[in-house]
Amino acid sequence: MSTGPISRAPMPPPPADPHDLLAEGARARKLSGEGEGVRCLVDSMRMVNGTTLAYVLFALWDSGFYEYSLTHPRFRVAEAAEELHLDAEVLEMLLHHLVGCGVLRVEENQFELTEYGSRLSNIVMRGTLNINLGGYGTQLTHIGPLLRKEVTREEIEKSHSGVHSGLGTEQLTSVRLVPAVHKILAERNLHSMLHLACAAGGFLTQMARSDPSFHAIGIDKSAEKIAGAKEKLRRYGLESRIRLFQAEIGVEPLPLDEETRSQIDVVASIYLLHEIGRYGRQRIVDVLRQIKASFPGKLFLFSETMPPSTPDSVKKPPTQYSQLDYLLIHRLRGKGMPLQPEEWKSIVADAGLKLIDFKEVYSIGLFLAEL
């Protein structure tokens, strides 16, 4: 038996004129007759199918169908449309698309999740869709116009949905970050936190629900997000354990008196520092120094998404594809960039903080330092 390399058909050469569709068609037909060619054509169609499925799921889940499908084992289109206040005809089209994708099955005009659909309906997938399609989807669809200089980055930035990106971050945080932070605090018997740039309060709400003795203060510059956080606290009866204030970190003095500051065990920054980094590395150092001056000796916990290693990502697929998506989106938006762990450690040292611990949870860098 021969053990030599398997011979493969040579790749059909590209046409001399790429605008010659007849020549391109002949090349495509030749590809479709080869094993590797068929695989590539199938992969390309899977990309299209996967993209369409993602948009269908996002539209449905963003309209209340996520919770509905998990709480209604079997349902009819008319019933679901009435309860969710949706267009019944469009809903039926989307549901039948999910049947074709194997997400739903239909029997006697009643729909139910398949096993595949049940596995697909999880908070990691939902959070990812909220961030990438809800938060940044419009910007991604404008990559072409941006490339052709038909629009500016500032123009497409206006289409960003902070509500969706914030919601998606909260959903992913519930899986990856909250358990890790809760463990760190429990090991040190710490129960009081100041959360800088708390957004709509999702992180603090989850922390408080994980620990009955947990209490906190949240600060954010957005009045709209503070209002959303208050509504979340009311929903779970946490108003007495979490207080909220409006202020911009690093720009305005923190609206906390000395007694309140003394009662805080740990200061937390979740995905904030890299955004400050859009103004330069020194700006991060300055903000950390301000925090240290306000809370000397306190524990400082911050999390940041770790960027993929560029040389490795060229040679082999990264372990976390979401890192590549994150990197691309931040480059397109002109926002602060994720940094390697060693750079964060250097920034911490320059700000006069003492690094205590660092660990990577999924693709999240979790840093612990003394202010």
Side-chain angles (χ1 to χ4, degrees):
M1 180 182 295
S2 172
T3 58
I6 299 174
S7 61
R8 295 182 178 180
M11 172 71 180
D17 178 7
H19 298 285
D20 184 345
L21 298 186
L22 290 176
E24 264 290 82
R27 187 168 76 107
R29 287 195 299 275
K30 184 169 178 56
L31 280 172
S32 65
E34 302 168 358
E36 283 296 303
V38 169
R39 187 181 70 80
C40 289
L41 292 173
V42 169
D43 284 347
S44 66
M45 288 309 303
R46 283 175 177 165
M47 274 191 272
V48 175
N49 298 151
T51 301
T52 304
L53 175 58
Y55 274 100
V56 169
L57 286 176
F58 172 71
L60 286 167
W61 290 357
D62 194 42
S63 305
F65 182 73
Y66 181 88
E67 293 83 0
Y68 185 87
S69 65
L70 296 182
T71 54
H72 292 70
R74 302 193 79 186
F75 60 90
R76 297 181 186 276
V77 173
E79 297 166 353
E82 182 178 3
E83 184 169 336
L84 297 174
H85 307 291
L86 303 177
D87 184 303
E89 185 177 2
V90 176
L91 176 61
E92 185 170 18
M93 294 177 192
L94 298 181
L95 295 183
H96 277 289
H97 185 81
L98 294 188
V99 171
C101 294
V103 176
L104 295 176
R105 66 172 64 92
V106 57
E107 294 180 6
E108 299 178 352
N109 293 321
Q110 286 191 310
F111 292 84
E112 63 181 359
L113 287 172
T114 62
E115 182 180 352
Y116 170 65
S118 296
R119 292 178 182 274
L120 199 64
S121 302
N122 64 80
I123 205 68
V124 172
M125 179 65 172
R126 189 182 185 195
T128 301
L129 289 182
N130 264 321
I131 291 175
N132 290 284
L133 297 190
Y136 307 118
T138 305
Q139 295 173 42
L140 290 172
T141 58
H142 280 78
I143 290 177
L146 180 66
L147 182 65
R148 296 187 296 273
K149 302 180 182 181
E150 297 167 1
V151 297
T152 64
R153 292 186 182 184
E154 290 74 20
E155 287 174 327
I156 66 170
E157 174 63 19
K158 294 178 182 178
S159 65
H160 168 241
S161 171
V163 172
H164 284 100
S165 58
L167 181 60
T169 298
E170 289 179 9
Q171 290 162 343
L172 293 179
T173 293
S174 69
V175 179
R176 298 172 174 173
L177 196 58
V178 170
V181 173
H182 181 261
K183 182 180 179 181
I184 289 173
L185 299 191
E187 290 172 347
R188 292 165 172 78
N189 196 29
L190 303 177
H191 304 278
S192 176
M193 174 182 286
L194 168 64
H195 185 190
L196 305 175
C198 66
F203 175 75
L204 288 182
T205 300
Q206 294 167 45
M207 288 295 298
R209 296 184 69 205
S210 301
D211 177 5
S213 62
F214 180 86
H215 56 282
I217 294 173
I219 296 178
D220 198 271
K221 68 177 181 179
S222 168
E224 181 181 4
K225 289 180 179 178
I226 289 291
K230 288 181 177 178
E231 176 59 34
K232 199 164 295 180
L233 297 182
R234 281 194 293 270
R235 186 187 312 156
Y236 292 105
L238 297 172
E239 303 102 311
S240 63
R241 292 166 56 193
I242 299 176
R243 291 186 291 160
L244 301 169
F245 296 93
Q246 185 181 352
E248 187 170 358
I249 308 303
V251 176
E252 304 172 72
L254 296 179
L256 307 175
D257 56 40
E258 192 61 38
E259 181 180 356
T260 301
R261 295 184 190 192
S262 66
Q263 295 171 354
I264 292 171
D265 294 327
V266 56
V267 179
S269 162
I270 310 299
Y271 307 128
L272 168 66
L273 297 181
H274 75 279
E275 293 289 5
I276 296 174
R278 79 183 73 170
Y279 305 111
R281 182 184 187 277
Q282 187 58 44
R283 180 64 177 146
I284 304 177
V285 172
D286 291 342
V287 169
L288 289 180
R289 286 174 178 168
Q290 291 176 20
I291 298 171
K292 176 180 172 63
S294 298
F295 302 93
K298 297 288 186 177
L299 203 62
F300 181 59
L301 182 150
F302 72 96
S303 68
E304 290 291 340
T305 295
M306 297 291 96
S309 174
T310 304
D312 287 346
S313 66
V314 173
K315 297 176 183 175
K316 60 182 180 180
T319 55
Q320 295 285 340
Y321 279 97
S322 59
Q323 292 171 278
L324 289 177
D325 300 336
Y326 181 89
L327 198 63
L328 174 61
I329 287 171
H330 270 244
R331 281 175 170 160
L332 289 173
R333 297 180 67 211
K335 299 300 182 181
M337 298 298 293
L339 304 174
Q340 294 290 352
E342 291 308 313
E343 181 61 20
W344 282 119
K345 293 175 183 178
S346 173
I347 290 173
V348 166
D350 287 353
L353 279 62
K354 178 183 177 182
L355 185 68
I356 298 173
D357 193 17
F358 164 76
K359 61 182 65 178
E360 192 165 342
V361 183
Y362 294 89
S363 58
I364 303 168
L366 200 52
F367 299 81
L368 203 60
E370 180 183 322
L371 290 167

